[in-house]
Amino acid sequence: MALDLAKFLARFVEEARDHVNRLNEGLVRLDQQPDDAETINAIFRSAHTIKGSARMMKLTPIAEVAHKLEDALGALREQKIGFSKELADLLFKGVDCIAAMVEKVAAGADPAGETGPLCEELARAAAGVLPAGAPAPSQEAPPGPAPAAVPEAASAPAGSQTAPPPKAAPSAPAGPAAPPPLKTERPEKKARVESIRVSADRLDELIRLMGEIVSHQNRLKRRLADIREVERTARKGRDLAAGLQAGGGGPEGRGAELASAAGELQAGLKQLAASMRDDANLQELLTAELQEKALMLRMVPLATVFDTFPRMVRDEARALGKEVALAVEGGEIGLDKKMIEKIGDPLVHMLRNAVDHGMEAPAVRREAGKPERGTIRLAACYDAGSVLIELSDDGGGIRLDKLKEKALQKKMHTEGELAAMTEPELLDLIFQPGFSTSPIITDLSGRGVGMDVVRRNIVEELKGSIKIETRPGKGTSFFIRLPMTLAVMRVLLIQTGGTTFAVTTHYVTEVLRVRTKEIIDVLAKKAIRLREELIPVADLDTLLGLPSRGGRRQDLLLLIVRVGGEKLGLIVEALLDEEDMVIKSLPAHMKNVSLVSGVTISGRNEVINILHVPELMRVAGDMKETMPERGRAAAARILVVDDSVNTREIEKSILEAYGYVVELAGDGQEALERTREARYDLVVTDVEMPRLDGFSLTERLRREEGYRETPIIIVTSREKEEDKRRGIQVGANAYIVKGSFDQTNLLETVQNLVG
Amino acid sequence: MAERKAKVLVVDDDSFIREVLASILEGEGYDSLTAGDGKEALAAFGADPGGIGLIVSDLNMPEMSGMELIGKVREAGSEVPIIILTGNSEISDAIAAVRSGANDYLEKDENIQDTIVLSVEKVLEKHALKQRNTR
């Protein structure tokens, strides 16, 4: 008899997540418009629904918190209590607690947790008692007498349970006379279901197959060409036979017979080719439609990533004492699930940057005559066959003078180079590895990764592009353009060094034929002037280490490719075709072949390598680097401070392996002495050390004239948020937790800070 | 238990809850069908008044509330047993529901999986007894 509730668990989790999102969204909205009755109603219902279904599932702790949340929201709805930032923090805490427990359930664990204090706090809030003046992330509620009873407001008649759940709304008959839609047989029930869940793996498999079919379609067209070829041969045969017949009929007059047979053969083949062409055309149409529909199956609305952002922006802004509202548009725009999974992190990073650096403090905004509350707009739309995501803030804009200062400080460019740069070139600096305008690198903004990683994700992983526009005092906009899917891509098939390669078209800006003499020499490098722009040019076969078939040619075929703001002209032998092809990733053992990003199978069943354009660009750039030293400054000197001999020796060897000059100190005191004797470009320090700890060392260094701006990295096993904050307060530029400490982490951070 | 078990109409605007309830009851051998609000329930009931042996209904629903549903069913002269469920325990609701003709009143709490089964059994038994006596 007993019912197996397990089968409802997945559904419970899914719906609870949905309601958690709605709660978060609603609370963010309330935070900005505290008297929005409709929103209060909506989130009250969400809390109510979570409570109901959690009870059904005997998930008592979840039901408990949801219940208290519902009570507090009920009190708010009845205006028995007022809205405040403190209340919002508490409500958010409740939602977080539910979300965490739901995830536990999703992971197959028992959601039990210490919810008592939180429930008490919520109950007190519902009664109008808030932790007086308590800071936002307050600790557990102080032990105290719980209010005698849940106040009346708690059990407010839930008379507003109006909105039916969004999905699976049963199609109700209009009146009693309607045909009997409700029968007990199962099949009837199934008819009500409007959507079914399919595992992503099965979908992937389907799309992979679809891709094969699309490829096969191209193969079919090759076959058609083959038949035409045979038909031409048959025609030749027919003509020969006809000649034979005319020349006397051949032995025993068989010439006429032969001529007629050959004629029939040719005519038959011609007929076959014609009908096959019709078939192929029709099938091409159908395949194209199948491809489109299949890809649609894996489209997921951007809302799945966007939904968590308003809450994140709110928390981030509150932590920084700023007022920021996030306006989201276009959440309904669909994108391949594979891409949705990859776009979240870059967007989070950019949003944090926008709140952190883009947005000015309220006082500054007021002075500038802007509303104290800043606005970040995140909007998505379809545009010319791709998806365009715009992220704009109305903050201070990017200051070009600051960018220059930074580039100079990081020894990335000389003053002269910077003076010659155009605005887009300067803005492009923020995408350079190691360039981050953030004064502090925290784990929050992604282990100190910068916009370079953002761009790399968007360009290389998502095959998209990113562009910035900024206006001083008015704000900054980023435009991200993404293809709708990655499963099938348009490629150009080219030939160089006698081999066929593919280049995905999103890198290619144009293909042109130029006279050899138009290629000019600039600093011993080839380049071409194209519409007032000087674009470096390289022989693709040389880049790939293939035998050059160059010789002296009059004309050259030039493929202009672009990655970010950089362009490169690739000299190729021939342009073969442009096709939609299925991209296959490289087998694991070949993953380090950096010039090739994947393979595809041609209509003739050949494996064609897909060239990895960013890497080609880098290789072409390296060749440029062999030019007379452009004066990369002397290697940076680093002081490593740690009381463990082992740790400091390991850090030293890692850093030395990457060309840094490293000196050591055993504790803060020794480090302080050393910094007075010598000048270091960067300091890496442990926290817990005898005599003088890492925090104090940092604090002392910041007071010294010569070390006010010197990058300091704190490496520690202390993971607590407050330690991190302390590190930031004393003036460290980065805070690395040892647990997550591997050499790349430290190295990346060092490279970010001193280049 | 040779007799055929009754067909239960489960009415709740939360599709999750009505499906879990239906599933619980089916696990007990009852037939079930579901409706998302009072109006839908009434339509289902109207389509097959003799076939439905019991109604389990939420109180707060859009279109037509549980209370209204009780009224309409009783108005039509049906004696079909009705069990009311609700998310908020207020004794006044319970009284009102029973006054309007509900046979039992349950709170949707953690024990609902068990209480619903017991309540359905009890209510159906009483109803059968009453019918036998009035015959």
Side-chain angles (χ1 to χ4, degrees):
Chain A
M1 62 128 256
L3 147 95
D4 183 15
L5 277 177
K7 65 177 178 188
F8 283 104
L9 267 184
R11 171 102 182 269
F12 167 78
V13 167
E14 196 176 301
E15 288 182 11
R17 279 179 184 152
D18 205 34
H19 284 292
V20 162
N21 280 346
R22 285 190 219 175
L23 278 164
N24 271 325
E25 275 169 34
L27 285 174
V28 169
R29 213 172 310 137
L30 274 191
D31 209 29
Q32 285 151 23
Q33 284 169 282
D35 45 6
D36 182 349
E38 212 168 288
T39 302
I40 299 179
N41 261 334
I43 59 180
F44 175 87
R45 280 197 300 274
S46 281
H48 179 82
T49 306
I50 294 177
K51 181 190 75 176
S53 11
R55 282 181 171 174
M56 279 284 153
M57 304 304 294
K58 289 201 176 192
L59 297 166
T60 311
I62 298 180
E64 203 57 31
V65 179
H67 187 176
K68 291 291 181 285
L69 206 57
E70 181 189 356
D71 286 350
L73 289 168
L76 190 63
R77 189 171 67 169
E78 317 258 294
Q79 298 180 340
K80 294 193 171 160
I81 59 174
F83 191 84
S84 65
K85 297 277 175 197
E86 287 71 31
L87 179 66
D89 285 332
L90 181 60
L91 295 174
F92 273 125
K93 217 162 121 185
V95 176
D96 286 346
C97 179
I98 291 174
M101 289 192 285
V102 168
E103 291 318 309
K104 272 193 192 170
V105 171
D110 183 358
E114 186 44 61
T115 57
L118 177 61
C119 286
E120 274 170 34
E121 244 182 294
L122 282 166
R124 272 198 293 276
V129 187
L130 272 173
S138 78
Q139 296 307 305
E140 296 305 346
V150 178
E152 265 110 298
S155 39
S160 59
Q161 231 185 351
T162 49
K167 351 175 207 190
S171 43
L182 300 164
K183 276 216 185 149
T184 38
E185 285 84 359
R186 295 246 159 222
E188 286 288 337
K189 273 193 175 172
K190 275 195 189 120
R192 312 162 135 252
V193 179
E194 282 161 7
S195 62
I196 53 167
R197 254 178 298 159
V198 177
S199 89
D201 288 350
R202 277 161 72 185
L203 221 48
D204 287 351
E205 184 64 12
L206 178 73
I207 286 171
R208 193 191 59 75
L209 265 175
M210 179 277 304
E212 299 292 341
I213 289 175
V214 173
S215 293
H216 189 78
Q217 175 67 29
N218 292 326
R219 242 166 279 169
L220 201 64
K221 284 166 99 182
R222 301 266 177 217
R223 294 284 172 278
L224 184 59
D226 292 347
I227 292 181
R228 289 222 175 90
E229 194 58 39
V230 178
E231 190 251 334
R232 264 190 291 278
T233 315
R235 184 181 306 171
K236 232 182 267 169
R238 181 200 62 186
D239 293 348
L240 275 176
L244 200 61
Q245 185 193 11
E252 292 158 39
R254 302 295 284 273
E257 235 173 279
L258 182 62
S260 134
E264 266 170 48
L265 177 63
Q266 185 268 339
L269 279 169
K270 196 172 172 184
Q271 183 65 41
L272 180 62
S275 43
M276 200 162 164
R277 188 197 55 221
D278 292 346
D279 289 353
N281 284 347
L282 179 60
Q283 195 178 325
E284 186 167 17
L285 283 176
L286 292 173
T287 314
E289 199 175 333
L290 174 68
Q291 175 183 346
E292 198 188 315
K293 292 282 183 316
L295 288 173
M296 289 293 288
L297 288 179
R298 209 171 53 184
M299 293 287 177
V300 177
L302 273 166
T304 51
V305 267
F306 283 5
D307 280 356
T308 57
F309 291 164
R311 168 75 192 277
M312 188 205 81
V313 166
R314 184 254 180 209
D315 287 354
E316 186 85 0
R318 186 146 158 75
L320 293 165
K322 294 181 183 176
E323 290 266 341
V324 183
L326 177 66
V328 178
E329 290 162 40
E332 76 285 355
I333 298 288
L335 208 58
D336 193 318
K337 184 167 181 295
K338 298 267 170 196
M339 304 183 66
I340 290 272
E341 286 161 4
K342 288 182 180 146
I343 191 67
D345 287 348
L347 286 177
V348 165
H349 189 86
M350 291 170 70
L351 279 170
R352 288 208 162 118
N353 271 345
V355 177
D356 214 353
H357 315 304
M359 220 39 96
E360 318 91 322
V364 179
R365 293 182 62 89
R366 204 182 320 126
E367 219 158 273
K370 297 197 216 177
E372 282 184 31
R373 185 198 298 281
T375 304
I376 298 176
R377 187 169 163 269
L378 179 64
C381 62
Y382 290 118
D383 182 80
S386 52
V387 170
L388 185 65
I389 300 176
E390 179 188 343
L391 195 158
S392 309
D393 64 59
D394 65 350
I398 297 174
R399 287 181 52 188
L400 297 179
D401 52 335
K402 289 271 181 206
L403 288 182
K404 286 189 195 171
E405 215 172 274
K406 193 91 177 184
L408 213 52
Q409 184 196 331
K410 302 237 174 205
K411 298 172 182 163
M412 289 168 72
H413 291 281
T414 65
E415 224 157 315
E417 284 170 344
L418 288 168
M421 282 188 177
T422 60
E423 182 178 322
E425 282 171 327
L426 284 170
L427 285 174
D428 200 60
L429 284 174
I430 70 167
F431 292 117
Q432 296 308 312
F435 192 94
S436 160
T437 47
S438 88
I440 172 83
I441 298 169
T442 64
D443 281 4
L444 259 188
S445 43
R447 277 203 328 172
V449 300
M451 289 300 289
D452 59 319
V453 178
V454 167
R455 178 155 84 182
R456 202 161 64 219
N457 276 336
I458 289 170
V459 173
E460 294 184 21
E461 301 251 336
L462 295 168
K463 315 290 178 207
S465 66
I466 181 167
K467 210 176 79 185
I468 331 175
E469 278 172 17
T470 189
R471 282 180 303 158
K474 301 266 199 238
T476 305
S477 300
F478 288 87
F479 299 92
I480 300 171
R481 188 176 286 279
L482 301 170
M484 282 194 279
T485 178
L486 299 177
V488 175
M489 297 204 70
R490 183 142 279 249
V491 297
L492 279 184
L493 295 177
I494 52 160
Q495 195 172 42
T496 194
T499 312
T500 304
F501 291 97
V503 178
T504 46
T505 51
H506 75 283
Y507 288 121
V508 181
T509 60
E510 57 193 302
V511 180
L512 64 163
R513 193 169 283 285
V514 297
R515 322 250 333 145
T516 307
K517 60 180 185 221
E518 285 179 65
I519 305 282
I520 49 178
D521 280 344
V522 181
L523 291 169
K525 287 285 296 178
K526 284 191 233 176
I528 185 163
R529 187 175 293 283
L530 199 61
R531 294 182 290 269
E532 294 312 300
E533 195 180 357
L534 204 57
I535 301 172
V537 169
D539 268 309
L540 184 56
D541 45 17
T542 317
L543 286 183
L544 295 171
L546 292 168
S548 176
R549 299 212 176 165
R552 291 305 296 172
R553 282 169 293 184
Q554 284 246 305
D555 287 350
L556 292 174
L557 194 56
L558 212 52
L559 204 62
I560 308 287
V561 292
R562 184 177 64 186
V563 177
E566 243 181 292
K567 284 187 182 172
L568 175 69
L570 291 169
I571 300 174
V572 300
E573 271 170 32
L575 185 65
L576 302 177
D577 209 346
E578 183 176 351
E579 274 181 27
D580 285 327
M581 297 187 102
V582 184
I583 311 294
K584 296 167 187 282
S585 52
L586 290 177
H589 66 279
M590 278 175 63
K591 281 268 158 73
N592 55 355
V593 184
S594 56
L595 286 172
V596 174
S597 64
V599 294
T600 182
I601 311 293
S602 79
R604 294 199 185 285
N605 253 335
E606 306 156 317
V607 175
I608 297 176
N609 288 319
I610 300 167
L611 294 174
H612 190 38
V613 174
E615 190 59 21
L616 279 177
M617 211 102 154
R618 202 190 57 73
V619 173
D622 273 358
M623 294 187 162
K624 187 164 49 189
E625 292 290 304
T626 56
M627 298 289 87
E629 269 297 300
R630 220 171 28 144
R632 180 177 196 262
R637 283 162 67 90
I638 299 177
L639 181 63
V640 170
V641 193
D642 201 307
D643 59 338
S644 149
V645 180
N646 253 333
T647 307
R648 60 178 188 252
E649 287 296 338
I650 292 172
E651 290 178 6
K652 179 172 191 246
S653 74
I654 294 170
L655 291 170
E656 280 181 348
Y658 282 83
Y660 296 104
V661 175
V662 182
E663 281 174 42
L664 301 173
D667 60 36
Q669 193 58 46
E670 191 187 336
L672 215 50
E673 285 155 19
R674 286 190 160 273
T675 54
R676 280 169 192 154
E677 289 157 11
R679 172 86 218 124
Y680 297 95
D681 298 312
L682 182 133
V683 177
V684 179
T685 178
D686 186 18
V687 171
E688 272 151 78
M689 293 179 297
R691 297 205 287 173
L692 188 67
D693 71 18
F695 289 145
S696 312
L697 169 65
T698 309
E699 219 164 357
R700 298 272 285 271
L701 282 176
R702 285 299 179 236
R703 270 187 254 137
E704 306 249 334
E705 183 62 33
Y707 284 89
R708 208 161 285 158
E709 301 286 327
T710 306
I712 300 178
I713 302 175
I714 293 183
V715 178
T716 169
S717 50
R718 293 193 192 197
E719 210 165 342
K720 281 209 198 106
E721 211 38 57
E722 57 196 88
D723 283 326
K724 217 170 279 178
R725 217 168 297 141
R726 172 101 200 271
I728 294 168
Q729 269 165 13
V730 295
N733 299 64
Y735 193 97
I736 299 179
V737 177
K738 263 182 197 165
S740 63
F741 168 64
D742 54 67
Q743 61 182 64
T744 43
N745 193 348
L746 174 65
L747 203 61
E748 270 170 22
T749 312
V750 168
Q751 283 168 344
N752 274 347
L753 290 167
V754 291
Chain B
M1 289 271 265
E3 73 188 282
R4 248 189 66 215
K5 281 203 172 182
K7 187 193 281 185
V8 183
L9 173 60
V10 178
V11 193
D12 197 313
D13 58 333
D14 185 331
S15 66
F16 182 78
I17 290 190
R18 67 174 178 260
E19 279 170 42
V20 174
L21 285 174
S23 191
I24 291 172
L25 293 169
E26 278 168 20
E28 291 295 320
Y30 297 99
D31 273 349
S32 77
L33 58 145
T34 59
D37 60 40
K39 226 172 171 176
E40 248 187 82
L42 209 58
F45 188 70
D48 185 17
I52 290 169
L54 178 83
I55 298 175
V56 174
S57 174
D58 188 20
L59 262 192
N60 299 306
M61 291 179 294
E63 291 293 321
M64 189 191 287
S65 74
M67 211 69 95
E68 268 178 273
L69 174 64
I70 302 172
K72 298 256 171 166
V73 169
R74 295 293 178 245
E75 241 169 64
S78 171
E79 292 279 291
V80 65
I82 302 178
I83 299 173
I84 287 296
L85 299 176
T86 188
N88 297 63
S89 63
E90 270 224 31
I91 197 72
S92 56
D93 281 351
I95 294 169
V98 173
R99 276 205 184 127
S100 318
N103 301 61
D104 200 357
Y105 182 97
L106 294 179
E107 196 192 345
K108 281 190 225 166
D109 60 12
E110 288 77 4
N111 302 318
I112 188 74
Q113 290 178 31
D114 307 318
T115 51
I116 184 74
V117 173
L118 291 176
S119 169
V120 166
E121 258 168 40
K122 188 185 73 188
V123 166
L124 280 176
E125 219 165 88
K126 257 193 189 164
H127 184 66
L129 207 65
K130 196 169 149 199
Q131 278 195 322
R132 227 171 294 151
N133 290 341
T134 53
R135 204 173 287 156

